[in-house]
């Protein structure tokens, strides 16, 4: 399968007065054309930094992309000059940010904000761009007459639809959605997700969906990557991750969620906290919280190994033939 995005051995750090924050530590993954990858993990795992790196928008200083490569639809993002990057952003790849309240300019009508992106990338007149903007509003379920409204006149769900309209205005082949429904209530969240899924399917797009919500991942994503302390610890198809879990951290994420089939049973939270990215532990970053830790985990940093097909896991305990996660012990 041809890939639209290939990230290989990416290293990103933030050099601050207090020390070096090791945000991304040798990250590698790919996304196939017309596929949606869900990137999941706790706050602080490095998910948003990954998204900003793909767009080459890591703020420098203090951020430094210290190594690796990012190939987007055959183009080397990290070697592009500013003009090439501006042409790529919005045109080839677009991003939906997690908070529509801050993503929109409060003093510019929403139609004009959509039209601005079209005008910049497609070199058409303001009048034609506004007409296209009205069409985009209709596409995301908002009346064209609302093009002259300001963001404060719209509900939270409508604001997020406007943000989606801006992202899709120039028909990018690849979309990054960073927690796109976090600020919305559950009913509106479902509507926005259904809208995004339809738009992506109808326009044959690929998407990187960044979230901590495994329910959203199950509903929207073809593939799933689980991120911890700046690394992928497990990656595979949605079926691999949900039904054939192989990493202790992934198991911990599922065990900390309520399950309708196991009512009355206690949730099993992951003990401890995400490690300080300024002082990552030697060896496996998850070992201080892992219920399966052995002595070797404290000194050896596991690399991703292929289990089968597209399923990879970063855990050295799979060298042991009898090793099995609690989640799989009955399956």
């Amino acid at each position: 399968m041809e890939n639209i995005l290939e990230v290989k051995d990416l290293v990103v750090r933030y050099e601050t007065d207090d020390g070096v924050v090791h945000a991304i530590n040798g990250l590698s993954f790919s996304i196939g054309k017309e596929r949606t990858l869900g990137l999941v993990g706790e706050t602080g795992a490095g998910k948003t930094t990954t998204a900003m790196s793909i767009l080459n928008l890591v703020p420098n200083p203090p951020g430094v992309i210290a190594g690796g490569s990012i190939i987007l639809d055959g183009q080397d993002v990290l070697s592009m000059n500013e003009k090439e990057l501006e042409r790529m952003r919005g045109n080839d790849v677009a991003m939906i940010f997690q908070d529509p309240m801050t993503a929109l300019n409060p003093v510019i009508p929403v139609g004009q904000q959509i039209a601005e992106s079209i005008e910049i990338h497609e070199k058409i007149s303001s009048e034609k761009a506004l007409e296209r903007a009205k069409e985009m509003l209709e596409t995301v379920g908002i009346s064209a007459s609302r093009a002259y409204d300001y963001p404060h006149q719209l509900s939270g769900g409508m604001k997020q639809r406007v943000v989606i309209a801006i992202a899709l205005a120039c028909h990018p082949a690849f979309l990054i959605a960073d927690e796109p429904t976090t600020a919305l209530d559950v009913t509106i969240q479902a509507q926005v997700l259904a809208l995004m899924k339809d738009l992506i399917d109808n326009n044959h797009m690929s998407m990187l969906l960044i979230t901590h919500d495994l329910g959203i991942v199950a509903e929207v994503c073809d593939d799933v990557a689980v991120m911890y302390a700046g690394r992928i610890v497990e990656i595979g198809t949605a079926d691999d991750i949900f039904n054939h879990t192989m990493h202790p951290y992934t198991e911990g994420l599922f065990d900390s969620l309520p399950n309708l089939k196991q009512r009355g049973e206690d949730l099993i939270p992951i003990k401890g906290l995400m490690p300080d990215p300024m002082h990552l532990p030697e060896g496996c970053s998850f070992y201080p919280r892992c219920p399966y830790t052995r002595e070797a985990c404290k000194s050896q940093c596991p690399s991703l190994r292929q289990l089968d097909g597209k399923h990879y896991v970063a855990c050295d305990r799979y060298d042991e033939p009898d090793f099995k996660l609690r989640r799989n012990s009955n399956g």
Side-chain angles (χ1 to χ4, degrees), residues 86-132:
E86 285 176 8
R87 192 161 51 242
M88 175 195 76
R89 298 173 190 142
N91 203 30
D92 301 323
V93 57
M95 185 162 176
I96 299 172
F97 294 93
Q98 58 181 289
D99 187 359
M101 316 302 173
T102 57
L104 295 172
N105 190 322
V107 297
I108 297 177
V110 294
Q112 191 177 328
Q113 295 189 53
I114 302 168
E116 182 180 20
S117 173
I118 299 168
E119 198 176 340
I120 288 170
H121 288 290
E122 302 197 6
K123 304 292 190 293
I124 61 176
S125 68
S126 301
E127 293 76 16
K128 285 186 178 177
L130 185 57
E131 287 306 310
R132 281 272 303 280

Side-chain angles (χ1 to χ4, degrees), residues 12-319:
V12 183
R13 56 178 181 253
Y14 295 96
E15 298 172 352
T16 72
D17 292 340
D18 297 324
V20 177
V21 176
H22 299 279
I24 305 291
N25 305 295
L27 186 70
S28 297
F29 67 94
S30 61
I31 300 177
K33 290 196 171 179
E34 298 187 36
R35 303 281 291 184
T36 293
L37 174 73
L39 186 61
V40 301
E42 293 169 274
T43 300
K47 303 187 300 296
T48 297
T49 296
T50 300
M52 300 304 276
S53 300
I54 294 167
L55 293 168
N56 206 347
L57 281 174
V58 173
N60 183 6
V64 177
I65 298 179
S69 64
I70 299 170
I71 307 298
L72 178 64
D73 207 9
Q75 303 175 84
D76 185 349
V77 173
L78 300 183
S79 67
M80 289 182 178
N81 60 40
E82 201 55 46
K83 186 167 279 190
E84 290 170 329
L85 287 168
E86 285 176 8
R87 192 161 51 242
M88 175 195 76
R89 298 173 190 142
N91 203 30
D92 301 323
V93 57
M95 185 162 176
I96 299 172
F97 294 93
Q98 58 181 289
D99 187 359
M101 316 302 173
T102 57
L104 295 172
N105 190 322
V107 297
I108 297 177
V110 294
Q112 191 177 328
Q113 295 189 53
I114 302 168
E116 182 180 20
S117 173
I118 299 168
E119 198 176 340
I120 288 170
H121 288 290
E122 302 197 6
K123 304 292 190 293
I124 61 176
S125 68
S126 301
E127 293 76 16
K128 285 186 178 177
L130 185 57
E131 287 306 310
R132 281 272 303 280
K134 289 178 180 178
E135 290 171 13
M136 283 306 305
L137 283 175
E138 296 275 4
T139 301
V140 297
I142 299 176
S143 169
S145 62
R146 305 300 295 267
Y148 303 99
D149 287 359
Y150 290 88
H152 73 271
Q153 295 174 282
L154 305 179
S155 67
M158 290 174 79
K159 286 192 189 82
Q160 190 61 299
R161 287 168 185 262
V162 171
V163 171
I164 293 169
I166 293 171
L168 301 183
C170 295
H171 308 293
F174 181 57
L175 183 66
I176 301 170
D178 186 5
E179 304 273 10
T181 58
T182 296
L184 308 176
D185 67 54
V186 175
T187 306
I188 303 301
Q189 196 176 89
Q191 293 174 6
V192 168
L193 283 172
L195 170 69
M196 286 175 59
K197 196 169 189 313
D198 286 346
L199 289 169
I200 286 164
D201 290 344
N202 293 338
N203 292 286
H204 306 289
M205 297 167 63
S206 306
M207 180 168 72
L208 173 64
L209 175 64
I210 295 171
T211 184
H212 60 270
D213 190 327
L214 288 163
I216 290 174
V217 170
E219 190 176 332
V220 176
C221 298
D222 304 302
D223 306 302
V224 185
V226 181
M227 194 169 186
Y228 187 81
R231 287 191 176 95
I232 300 290
V233 295
E234 186 169 4
I235 188 168
T237 64
D239 178 66
D240 289 332
I241 303 303
F242 280 81
N243 299 319
H244 307 281
T245 308
M246 288 297 174
H247 196 278
Y249 177 60
T250 313
E251 176 188 65
L253 292 178
F254 282 114
D255 282 348
S256 61
L257 295 173
N259 188 332
L260 290 176
K261 295 178 183 176
Q262 298 171 325
R263 292 189 179 205
E265 291 191 15
D266 291 338
L267 300 181
I268 307 172
I270 304 173
K271 67 176 184 179
L273 300 170
M274 182 83 71
D276 180 351
M278 283 191 187
H279 305 99
L280 292 174
E282 294 287 326
C284 175
S285 297
F286 189 58
Y287 91 76
R289 307 173 70 187
C290 181
Y292 306 101
T293 295
R294 59 179 183 179
E295 197 59 34
C297 300
K298 301 177 183 179
S299 58
Q300 297 171 5
C301 183
S303 57
L304 279 171
R305 63 186 66 197
Q306 186 175 21
L307 299 177
D308 55 70
K310 297 175 68 174
H311 198 179
Y312 292 76
V313 67
C315 180
D316 285 341
R317 292 223 56 181
Y318 292 101
D319 289 336

